[in-house]
Structures are given as structure tokens and as C-alpha cells.
Amino acid sequence: MAVVYVFPMFMIPVTWVRGCICFKRGSIADKQKFNAWIDNCVKASPVPGICLFPEGHRSRAPHSLPLKRGMLHYAYSRNMPVQIVMSAHKELAMDEKTFHVRFGTTCVTGYSELIPASTYATFEEFCVAIQSVWDKLWVRVFSADPAELPLLDINNPAGFHYPMVLRLSQLFWTVVELFLMVWGLRWSWHSWQAAVARLAGAVGLANALSQVLLLLPLVWLLASIIYCYDSTLPQPILSSDGALCKMR
């Protein structure tokens, strides 16, 4: 839920067009009522599935965090099959803790076979199976050498029907986001022009130097993109036996 407050211009439209379910983590008093609410959210979306982060939050540790059991319990109670999708080296593309981004980053992605909940007699057996597959896939993904892997082939999903009301909502939010982006850029540019003019008047800058200062944000942007571009393939983090082989 905190993501909504940090990235409102992204999360509000995504939630509005039924692409995200927001709820507060923690102890849930009435799990049956919560699960029924999730059922209604899934039925209202054209995509018949849920994608979630079972560890609960992001981590830079070379080992997995304990898996959260809440949504696994929901999947088991609804006999929903589970597929684990895992990627390594995402923090090289964008690290929110160090405020670092990198263009041209290669990530390693692996995914498991479907794990049907209906084949397990108890929820505990289901959780043990999920954890076992998760741990094995973790070692495979984080020990893989990107240089030896093929490019991931992503096909367009078939069978999803987006109603006209939802498409119009997507169009509306796209227009709103573009308008806000243009307005923000325009406001930033005029504010920068005013700041440069005030500085030039205060210290008596020459007109040529003022023009250079006006172009400084564009130069900074281009220099940042060039500086942050690095297509070097990342090295495996773990060895094939799961031991840490490289510290970053």
C-alpha cells in the first residue's frame, strides 16, 4: 500500500484500470472476507491471475527471504496453480537504496513449471513444495551465466478480453499522464529560465554565458544517460551449489 504514496502517478492509474490490487500488509482479522474481496478483484480484471512478490519486500541479500504464506493460502484455498518467475541482477538496472540506475543491463530470468494446488492434501505440503521449487530455482537463476543463455522470447498473451470501458479508462489515464508530463517539463523550463535570468542580473553575466547555463539541464541529462549506460554482462552471484561466488 505504501507504494501508492511513493509513486501515485503510476499506481493510481494502474489500480484504476484493474492492473493492481492494493492492500495493507499485516495481520488480517477476517481471512475469509479478505479472500472474497480478492476474488471480486480478480473477477473484475480481464487477466485471470495474480502476480505478487512472495518475499514481502525487496532485498539485496544473496539469499532468499522467507516466503510469505498469506497469498499462498489464498491460492491453495482456490485450487489455483502457482508458477514461480524469478529474475537476477534487477538492482543493476535500478537500485532504489543507492539511487543508481544503469541502461543496457542484462537480467537473468527463470520460471518453474505450474505447481497445481489441487494435488496436495494439505496446505503445509503445498507450502513445502513451493519452497522446494523456489530454492532450487533461486540457485539456478543466480548461478546462471548470462553469456550462455538465450534471449527471453516474450509472446503476446492470448485469450484476454479488454472491455471498451477499460480501454477508454486506459486512454484517459494515458492522456492525463502525458499532459502532466508536458506541464511539468514546461513549468521546469520556465522556472529554470527565470532562475538563470535572475542570476545573470544579479552578478552581471554575459549573454553567451547565460545561454550556456540555460542548456545546462539538457547537457546534464545527456551526460547522465551516457554515464549510466553499461552493457557489460553481469557475473553469476552464486555457484552451482548455492555458495556465494561474487560480492558486489
Side-chain angles (χ1 to χ4, degrees), residues 27 66 77 213:
S27 179
S77 66
L213 285 178

PDB file of all heavy atoms in Angstrom, residues 27 66 77 213:
ATOM      1  N   SER A  27      -1.373  -8.497   9.813  1.00  0.00           N
ATOM      2  CA  SER A  27      -2.357  -9.471  10.266  1.00  0.00           C
ATOM      3  C   SER A  27      -3.752  -9.100   9.775  1.00  0.00           C
ATOM      4  O   SER A  27      -4.178  -7.949   9.888  1.00  0.00           O
ATOM      5  CB  SER A  27      -2.342  -9.542  11.797  1.00  0.00           C
ATOM      6  OG  SER A  27      -3.308 -10.470  12.256  1.00  0.00           O
ATOM      7  N   PRO A  66      12.368 -15.445   3.702  1.00  0.00           N
ATOM      8  CA  PRO A  66      11.276 -16.412   3.904  1.00  0.00           C
ATOM      9  C   PRO A  66      10.046 -16.006   3.100  1.00  0.00           C
ATOM     10  O   PRO A  66       9.688 -14.831   3.037  1.00  0.00           O
ATOM     11  CB  PRO A  66      11.017 -16.336   5.415  1.00  0.00           C
ATOM     12  CG  PRO A  66      12.288 -15.792   6.005  1.00  0.00           C
ATOM     13  CD  PRO A  66      12.843 -14.856   4.978  1.00  0.00           C
ATOM     14  N   SER A  77      -6.554 -22.365  -1.205  1.00  0.00           N
ATOM     15  CA  SER A  77      -7.993 -22.433  -0.925  1.00  0.00           C
ATOM     16  C   SER A  77      -8.829 -22.340  -2.193  1.00  0.00           C
ATOM     17  O   SER A  77      -9.968 -22.798  -2.232  1.00  0.00           O
ATOM     18  CB  SER A  77      -8.401 -21.321   0.043  1.00  0.00           C
ATOM     19  OG  SER A  77      -8.242 -20.042  -0.573  1.00  0.00           O
ATOM     20  N   LEU A 213      24.224  28.442 -19.500  1.00  0.00           N
ATOM     21  CA  LEU A 213      23.527  27.997 -18.297  1.00  0.00           C
ATOM     22  C   LEU A 213      22.137  27.461 -18.623  1.00  0.00           C
ATOM     23  O   LEU A 213      21.676  26.510 -17.993  1.00  0.00           O
ATOM     24  CB  LEU A 213      23.422  29.151 -17.294  1.00  0.00           C
ATOM     25  CG  LEU A 213      24.706  29.517 -16.544  1.00  0.00           C
ATOM     26  CD1 LEU A 213      24.457  30.706 -15.639  1.00  0.00           C
ATOM     27  CD2 LEU A 213      25.205  28.328 -15.747  1.00  0.00           C
TER      28      LEU A 213
END
